[in-house]
Coordinates of all heavy atoms in Angstrom, one line a residue:
V159 N -106.8 -67.0 55.6 CA -105.9 -67.6 54.6 C -105.8 -69.0 55.0 O -105.5 -69.4 56.1 CB -104.5 -66.9 54.7 CG1 -103.6 -67.6 53.7 CG2 -104.7 -65.4 54.3
N160 N -105.9 -69.9 54.0 CA -106.0 -71.3 54.3 C -104.5 -71.9 54.4 O -104.0 -72.5 53.4 CB -106.7 -72.0 53.1 CG -107.0 -73.5 53.4 OD1 -107.1 -73.9 54.6 ND2 -107.3 -74.3 52.4
L161 N -103.9 -71.6 55.5 CA -102.5 -72.1 55.7 C -102.5 -73.6 55.9 O -103.0 -74.2 56.8 CB -102.0 -71.4 57.0 CG -101.8 -69.9 56.9 CD1 -101.4 -69.3 58.2 CD2 -100.7 -69.5 55.8
N162 N -101.8 -74.2 54.9 CA -101.6 -75.7 54.9 C -102.9 -76.4 55.0 O -103.0 -77.4 55.7 CB -100.6 -76.1 55.9 CG -99.8 -77.3 55.4 OD1 -99.4 -77.3 54.2 ND2 -99.4 -78.2 56.3
N163 N -104.0 -75.8 54.5 CA -105.3 -76.4 54.4 C -105.9 -76.7 55.8 O -106.6 -77.7 56.1 CB -105.3 -77.8 53.6 CG -104.9 -77.6 52.2 OD1 -105.4 -76.7 51.5 ND2 -104.0 -78.4 51.7
M164 N -105.6 -75.8 56.8 CA -106.2 -75.9 58.1 C -107.6 -75.4 58.2 O -108.4 -75.7 59.1 CB -105.3 -75.3 59.1 CG -104.0 -76.0 59.4 SD -104.3 -77.7 60.0 CE -105.2 -77.5 61.5
L165 N -108.0 -74.6 57.2 CA -109.4 -74.0 57.2 C -110.4 -74.9 56.4 O -111.5 -75.1 56.8 CB -109.4 -72.6 56.7 CG -108.6 -71.6 57.5 CD1 -108.8 -70.2 57.0 CD2 -108.9 -71.6 59.0
C166 N -109.9 -75.3 55.2 CA -110.7 -76.1 54.3 C -109.8 -77.0 53.5 O -108.7 -76.7 53.3 CB -111.6 -75.2 53.4 SG -110.7 -74.1 52.3
P167 N -110.4 -78.1 53.0 CA -109.5 -79.0 52.2 C -109.2 -78.5 50.8 O -109.8 -77.6 50.3 CB -110.4 -80.2 52.1 CG -111.8 -79.7 52.2 CD -111.8 -78.6 53.1
A168 N -108.1 -79.0 50.3 CA -107.7 -78.6 48.9 C -108.7 -79.2 48.0 O -109.3 -80.2 48.3 CB -106.3 -79.1 48.6
V169 N -108.8 -78.6 46.8 CA -109.7 -79.1 45.8 C -109.4 -80.5 45.4 O -110.3 -81.4 45.1 CB -109.7 -78.2 44.6 CG1 -110.7 -78.7 43.5 CG2 -110.1 -76.8 45.0
S170 N -108.1 -80.9 45.4 CA -107.7 -82.2 44.9 C -107.6 -83.2 46.1 O -107.1 -84.3 45.8 CB -106.3 -82.1 44.2 OG -105.3 -81.5 45.1
D171 N -108.0 -82.8 47.2 CA -107.9 -83.7 48.4 C -108.8 -84.9 48.2 O -110.0 -84.8 48.0 CB -108.3 -83.0 49.7 CG -108.0 -83.8 50.9 OD1 -107.8 -85.0 50.9 OD2 -107.8 -83.1 52.0
P172 N -108.2 -86.2 48.2 CA -109.0 -87.4 48.0 C -110.0 -87.6 49.1 O -110.9 -88.4 49.0 CB -108.0 -88.5 47.8 CG -106.8 -88.0 48.5 CD -106.8 -86.5 48.3
F173 N -109.7 -87.0 50.3 CA -110.6 -87.2 51.5 C -111.4 -85.9 51.7 O -111.8 -85.6 52.9 CB -109.7 -87.5 52.7 CG -108.9 -88.7 52.6 CD1 -107.5 -88.6 52.3 CD2 -109.4 -90.0 52.7 CE1 -106.7 -89.7 52.2 CE2 -108.6 -91.1 52.5 CZ -107.3 -91.0 52.3
Y174 N -111.8 -85.2 50.6 CA -112.6 -84.0 50.7 C -113.9 -84.3 51.5 O -114.6 -85.2 51.2 CB -112.9 -83.5 49.3 CG -113.4 -82.1 49.3 CD1 -112.6 -81.0 49.0 CD2 -114.8 -81.8 49.5 CE1 -113.1 -79.7 49.0 CE2 -115.3 -80.5 49.5 CZ -114.4 -79.5 49.2 OH -114.9 -78.2 49.2
G175 N -114.1 -83.4 52.5 CA -115.3 -83.6 53.3 C -115.0 -83.0 54.7 O -113.9 -82.5 55.0
R176 N -116.0 -83.1 55.6 CA -115.9 -82.5 56.9 C -114.8 -83.2 57.8 O -114.4 -82.7 58.8 CB -117.2 -82.5 57.6 CG -117.8 -83.9 57.9 CD -119.1 -83.8 58.7 NE -118.9 -83.2 60.0 CZ -119.8 -83.2 60.9 NH1 -121.0 -83.8 60.7 NH2 -119.5 -82.7 62.1
W177 N -114.5 -84.5 57.5 CA -113.5 -85.2 58.3 C -112.1 -85.2 57.6 O -111.3 -86.0 58.0 CB -113.9 -86.6 58.5 CG -115.3 -86.8 59.0 CD1 -116.4 -87.2 58.4 CD2 -115.8 -86.4 60.3 NE1 -117.5 -87.2 59.2 CE2 -117.2 -86.7 60.4 CE3 -115.2 -85.8 61.4 CZ2 -117.9 -86.4 61.5 CZ3 -115.9 -85.6 62.6 CH2 -117.3 -85.8 62.6
Y178 N -111.9 -84.3 56.7 CA -110.6 -84.3 56.0 C -109.4 -84.1 56.9 O -108.3 -84.7 56.6 CB -110.6 -83.2 54.9 CG -110.3 -81.8 55.4 CD1 -109.0 -81.3 55.2 CD2 -111.3 -81.0 55.9 CE1 -108.7 -80.0 55.6 CE2 -111.0 -79.8 56.3 CZ -109.7 -79.2 56.2 OH -109.4 -78.0 56.6
R179 N -109.5 -83.3 58.0 CA -108.4 -83.1 58.9 C -108.0 -84.3 59.7 O -106.8 -84.6 60.0 CB -108.6 -81.9 59.8 CG -108.9 -80.6 59.1 CD -108.6 -79.4 59.9 NE -109.3 -79.4 61.2 CZ -109.3 -78.3 62.0 NH1 -108.5 -77.3 61.8 NH2 -109.9 -78.4 63.2
I180 N -109.0 -85.1 60.0 CA -108.7 -86.4 60.7 C -108.0 -87.4 59.8 O -107.0 -88.0 60.2 CB -110.0 -87.0 61.2 CG1 -110.6 -86.1 62.3 CG2 -109.8 -88.4 61.8 CD1 -111.9 -86.5 62.9
W181 N -108.5 -87.5 58.5 CA -107.8 -88.3 57.6 C -106.4 -87.8 57.3 O -105.4 -88.6 57.3 CB -108.5 -88.3 56.2 CG -109.8 -89.2 56.2 CD1 -111.1 -88.8 56.2 CD2 -109.8 -90.6 56.1 NE1 -111.9 -89.8 56.2 CE2 -111.1 -91.0 56.1 CE3 -108.8 -91.6 56.0 CZ2 -111.5 -92.3 56.0 CZ3 -109.2 -92.9 56.0 CH2 -110.5 -93.3 56.0
A182 N -106.2 -86.5 57.2 CA -104.8 -85.9 57.0 C -103.9 -86.2 58.1 O -102.7 -86.5 58.0 CB -104.9 -84.4 56.7
S183 N -104.4 -86.1 59.3 CA -103.6 -86.3 60.5 C -103.2 -87.8 60.6 O -102.0 -88.1 61.0 CB -104.4 -86.0 61.8 OG -104.8 -84.6 61.8
G184 N -104.0 -88.7 60.1 CA -103.7 -90.1 60.1 C -102.6 -90.4 59.0 O -101.6 -91.0 59.4
H185 N -102.8 -90.0 57.8 CA -101.9 -90.4 56.8 C -100.6 -89.6 56.9 O -99.5 -90.1 56.5 CB -102.4 -90.3 55.4 CG -102.9 -89.0 54.9 ND1 -102.0 -87.9 54.7 CD2 -104.1 -88.5 54.6 CE1 -102.7 -86.9 54.2 NE2 -104.0 -87.2 54.2
Q186 N -100.6 -88.4 57.4 CA -99.3 -87.6 57.6 C -98.5 -88.2 58.8 O -97.3 -88.1 58.8 CB -99.6 -86.2 57.8 CG -100.1 -85.4 56.6 CD -99.1 -85.6 55.5 OE1 -98.0 -85.3 55.6 NE2 -99.6 -86.1 54.3
T187 N -99.2 -88.8 59.8 CA -98.5 -89.4 60.9 C -97.8 -90.7 60.3 O -96.6 -90.9 60.7 CB -99.5 -89.9 62.0 OG1 -100.1 -88.7 62.6 CG2 -98.8 -90.7 63.1
V188 N -98.4 -91.4 59.5 CA -97.8 -92.6 58.9 C -96.6 -92.2 58.1 O -95.5 -92.8 58.1 CB -98.8 -93.4 58.1 CG1 -98.1 -94.5 57.3 CG2 -99.9 -94.0 58.9
M189 N -96.8 -91.1 57.3 CA -95.7 -90.7 56.4 C -94.5 -90.2 57.3 O -93.3 -90.4 57.0 CB -96.2 -89.6 55.5 CG -97.1 -90.0 54.4 SD -96.2 -91.1 53.2 CE -94.9 -90.0 52.6
T190 N -94.8 -89.4 58.3 CA -93.7 -88.9 59.2 C -93.0 -90.0 59.9 O -91.7 -90.0 60.0 CB -94.3 -87.9 60.2 OG1 -95.0 -86.9 59.6 CG2 -93.2 -87.3 61.1
M191 N -93.7 -91.0 60.3 CA -93.1 -92.1 61.0 C -92.2 -93.0 60.1 O -91.3 -93.7 60.5 CB -94.2 -93.0 61.7 CG -95.0 -92.2 62.7 SD -94.1 -91.8 64.2 CE -94.0 -93.3 65.0
T192 N -92.6 -93.1 58.8 CA -91.9 -94.1 57.9 C -91.0 -93.4 56.9 O -90.1 -94.1 56.4 CB -93.0 -94.9 57.2 OG1 -93.9 -94.0 56.4 CG2 -93.8 -95.7 58.2
H193 N -91.3 -92.2 56.5 CA -90.6 -91.6 55.4 C -89.1 -91.5 55.7 O -88.2 -91.8 54.9 CB -91.2 -90.2 55.1 CG -90.5 -89.5 53.9 ND1 -89.5 -88.5 54.2 CD2 -90.6 -89.7 52.6 CE1 -89.1 -88.1 53.0 NE2 -89.7 -88.8 52.0

């Protein structure tokens, strides 16, 4: 089961590809630090 897209990216993910989790970790870190 793809819990929070940890297995594969969402269809609408703008960073769809094999490095999507690295991109997600980056932009979610920025969001967590600033939001």
Side-chain angles (χ1 to χ4, degrees):
V159 176
N160 192 22
L161 294 173
N162 217 34
N163 299 314
M164 286 304 295
L165 299 186
C166 62
V169 179
S170 58
D171 193 336
F173 302 103
Y174 192 97
R176 60 176 299 191
W177 307 112
Y178 81 98
R179 299 204 304 182
I180 295 179
W181 282 106
S183 299
H185 62 66
Q186 289 305 303
T187 296
V188 174
M189 287 297 296
T190 303
M191 298 291 285
T192 59
H193 180 261

